[in-house]
Amino acid sequence: MDHDIFGRFDGHVAVITGAASGIGAASMELFRRAGAIAVGFDLEAGPDILSVDVSDSEAVERGLAEVVDRYGRLDIVHGNAGINVPGRAHSISDADYRRVMGVCCDANFFLVRSAVRYMRERGGVFLFTASMCGIGATPRSPVYNMAKHAVVGLTRSVALDYGAQGNPCGRPDLRADAHGHGGLALARGRAARHPRRFDLRGPTEPARGTGPCRRLRCAPRLVLPDRRRHQRGRRGDRGLERDGEPDAPDQGAGVTTNASWHGDVETPMRDGVVLRSDVWRLDEPAPAVVFRTPYGRRALTSDVLKPLDCILGGYAAVMQDTRGRFGSDGGWAPLMWDQEALDTFDTVEWVARQEWCNGQVILAGTSYGGILSFLGASTRPPSLAGVAAAMVTTGSRDRREMGGAMRLEQVLTWLIYMATDWVARHPEQADERTVATLRDLWADPSPALTALPLAEGPMSSLTGFPLDVAALLSGEVSTTPEWRASDVDVPVFVTTGWYDVFCSATVDAFRGGRRRATGTVAPTGRRTVGTHGIPVPPRR
């Protein structure tokens, strides 16, 4: 904990919902260390936690009234409670819909409506946990995605109505912030009051379908150089122009260009299996950036690099579903790293041969996608020109960092997600016990995390799932592949965050690449480390 937070909120009273565990419990501890009086709302009462059903407006009103009666003030409200019921829209019952919306969406409105009366005279802060689903989406979570988008909208509404512009009588401001994964600001301060002027996310990606996508707008990124600027010398050339409000801050954004989007583009592999991609193309051949993901190419969001960033930098972009996932053919199994390496090699060479590519290909991605980028680069595709990866590791680096232990929570929660997705796609291969086990673990993964021995826990009873979970949990199967920095002979850009799970391994990979840069083939390298999603440029 940073020392400068101590005493920062002395005497302030903070209410945190969903305070019994996870982010809520951490928020309670943080406010306490900063000197605040932290009071939690959750279904079950506990130390400093009141029993409040936040989806019930009357219960929220009673809970806040009790806090003010007890402590005489209310300064901070953190709307954090959230639940999810996974499934596609057609499978969500009315009861599950109301439950998710009640906790994730309605509760935050009830908090604002009831808390404003206590906070307007003194001022205060509304803080909402919006998750990255507040600006994007995750598969099979339609109600959760909708609710989190609503939370971002509520944040902006509160800032408009109760911030400086909404207080013409000179009352103190009520600030409203919404945060996502790793603390990334989704709507914050002036950005919340002026979302068009201070859009922290940038635009949505182009609508699906083939055709021109004009006037694409996006904030600049650190990962790829602006080829257009370097080649032409100024943004005004080749149809690039400024676009924005006259008083909008100059963020280097607002450039425009002509591009086209093509969906379900087929890419044949060496064994005849067809993988499918979405392609963003410029009007002339250009280097191409390839993203490969098992999580759905049209649902993937990235804090580091997106296809629109590539287009505006003068690069084509390819977003591909990996083998057996979503739109791609073939069989899928978890941790099939040898096959992933071959498919990455074949994809790079196929892209390089296309008329819209100038023969140079860059591999990019975060976490799984970043690991695939280095794994593919280690096979040395002739057309590979560089790697722009984030949050990467190898099996040996992971074991060394963890002292030989497994990242149990990460591995098991990933398996729960992938197994649930697999069951939804192959219901004929899963029995009722497997479905019930996964449903229970979605609600509470702790039985899988605390079972001893691990290999005999609830995850070991998944019928038909294409992975020997017991062998994985016993350490017989590695969760991450091996690749050597000495096999990567192209320029590399790596990004991580101080609190990312693979931070040390990513830095180690960068250092390994720099040590490799000593022979006749000397790759250049660059590393960016910052808070996740907000990279900080390194010193030159």
Side-chain angles (χ1 to χ4, degrees):
M1 187 67 62
D2 292 339
H3 68 275
D4 60 356
I5 73 163
F6 290 102
R8 183 175 177 182
F9 296 117
D10 281 348
H12 289 71
V13 177
V15 168
I16 300 96
T17 66
S21 62
I23 295 174
S27 183
M28 290 275 287
E29 178 64 18
L30 180 66
F31 279 118
R32 287 195 195 101
R33 292 193 181 192
I37 299 169
V39 182
F41 286 1
D42 215 304
L43 288 177
E44 295 186 7
D48 298 321
I49 297 178
L50 302 180
S51 177
V52 176
D53 179 358
V54 292
S55 65
D56 182 339
S57 62
E58 294 183 354
V60 170
E61 173 62 36
R62 289 194 299 269
L64 292 176
E66 182 175 344
V67 171
V68 174
D69 287 344
R70 184 180 301 179
Y71 300 107
R73 60 189 293 172
L74 178 62
D75 304 284
I76 303 163
V77 173
H78 181 185
N80 168 72
I83 60 171
N84 187 22
V85 176
R88 296 179 177 176
H90 69 272
S91 67
I92 304 294
S93 67
D94 288 353
D96 285 340
Y97 170 84
R98 287 307 329 154
R99 190 157 63 96
V100 174
M101 289 298 290
V103 175
C104 295
C105 180
D106 298 351
N108 292 306
F109 177 79
F110 297 154
L111 283 169
V112 172
R113 185 174 63 181
S114 297
V116 161
R117 73 185 67 175
Y118 303 118
M119 300 169 68
R120 289 197 70 180
E121 295 302 324
R122 192 191 303 268
V125 173
F126 286 100
L127 175 65
F128 301 107
T129 303
S131 107
M132 292 308 294
C133 294
I135 60 173
T138 190
R140 292 174 174 78
S141 300
V143 187
Y144 186 81
N145 292 331
M146 181 171 65
K148 291 303 184 180
H149 275 74
V151 169
V152 174
L154 175 65
T155 303
R156 289 173 167 162
S157 294
V158 172
L160 282 169
D161 293 340
Y162 301 107
Q165 292 184 346
N167 281 320
C169 297
R171 286 174 169 161
D173 289 356
L174 295 182
R175 175 173 171 168
D177 292 350
H179 290 262
H181 178 68
L184 177 63
L186 306 184
R188 182 174 185 175
R190 295 175 67 199
R193 293 196 295 271
H194 304 288
R196 289 184 59 201
R197 192 176 302 176
F198 299 90
D199 191 346
L200 301 184
R201 177 189 174 218
T204 57
E205 296 195 358
R208 296 176 185 173
T210 301
C213 302
R214 300 183 184 277
R215 299 181 68 76
L216 306 179
R217 304 187 64 216
C218 176
R221 299 284 174 174
L222 297 172
V223 176
L224 297 176
D226 190 336
R227 291 180 58 252
R228 295 181 181 275
R229 178 179 293 179
H230 292 176
Q231 290 178 351
R232 298 289 180 165
R234 63 183 188 276
R235 285 185 179 268
D237 288 336
R238 300 181 62 201
L240 300 183
E241 59 184 21
R242 290 285 178 184
D243 178 27
E245 301 178 31
D247 58 345
D250 184 359
Q251 300 176 355
V255 298
T256 65
T257 188
N258 294 331
S260 59
W261 180 89
H262 305 262
D264 296 323
V265 177
E266 295 186 351
T267 305
M269 300 292 102
R270 65 185 68 188
D271 59 358
V273 171
V274 173
L275 308 187
R276 291 179 177 82
S277 309
D278 292 339
V279 177
W280 285 256
R281 295 169 46 176
L282 294 169
D283 52 6
E284 63 180 36
V289 181
V290 172
F291 305 83
R292 305 190 66 240
T293 176
Y295 306 124
R297 67 186 189 272
R298 293 176 180 172
L300 190 68
T301 60
S302 172
D303 299 345
V304 181
L305 184 65
K306 303 187 189 70
L308 288 184
D309 304 326
C310 301
I311 286 291
L312 291 176
Y315 296 75
V318 178
M319 187 75 80
Q320 183 186 79
D321 288 327
T322 55
R323 179 179 293 245
R325 299 294 293 163
F326 294 86
S328 291
D329 298 340
W332 171 82
L335 315 178
M336 54 181 190
W337 300 116
D338 291 342
Q339 185 63 60
E340 293 282 33
L342 295 176
D343 289 348
T344 303
F345 183 103
D346 292 350
T347 299
V348 168
E349 293 307 302
W350 179 88
V351 169
R353 295 192 299 269
Q354 303 310 300
E355 62 181 4
W356 39 266
C357 179
N358 70 355
Q360 294 182 307
V361 180
I362 296 169
L363 286 169
T366 299
S367 190
Y368 192 103
I371 292 171
L372 289 189
S373 297
F374 272 102
L375 189 62
S378 69
T379 66
R380 298 187 176 181
S383 303
L384 186 66
V387 171
M391 292 178 59
V392 298
T393 190
T394 63
S396 59
R397 286 185 174 92
D398 217 30
R399 287 190 296 272
R400 184 165 62 248
E401 182 177 347
M402 298 297 293
M406 178 185 295
R407 296 184 186 274
L408 185 60
E409 183 175 11
Q410 181 194 10
V411 170
L412 280 176
T413 52
W414 183 83
L415 281 175
I416 292 169
Y417 168 79
M418 297 302 285
T420 302
D421 178 81
W422 180 87
V423 166
R425 295 173 180 278
H426 305 87
E428 72 285 353
Q429 298 186 37
D431 57 20
E432 293 183 1
R433 179 182 177 185
T434 295
V435 174
T437 297
L438 290 172
R439 182 184 295 115
D440 292 343
L441 290 176
W442 262 99
D444 180 13
S446 58
L449 296 170
T450 57
L452 291 176
L454 287 171
E456 297 178 9
M459 288 296 292
S460 65
S461 62
L462 303 182
T463 301
F465 185 54
L467 176 68
D468 188 342
V469 177
L472 177 71
L473 295 179
S474 64
E476 299 173 25
V477 178
S478 177
T479 59
T480 48
E482 290 298 327
W483 48 266
R484 296 181 303 177
S486 60
D487 292 331
V488 179
D489 56 4
V490 295
V492 168
F493 184 105
V494 293
T495 306
T496 188
W498 291 121
Y499 299 104
D500 284 336
V501 65
F502 296 141
C503 179
S504 297
T506 304
V507 173
D508 184 54
F510 174 81
R511 288 173 172 167
R514 291 297 294 268
R515 287 192 294 269
R516 165 72 176 85
T518 56
T520 56
V521 177
T524 58
R526 188 175 177 192
R527 175 186 65 200
T528 296
V529 181
T531 56
H532 189 54
I534 313 175
V536 178
R539 294 181 181 272
R540 291 189 177 274

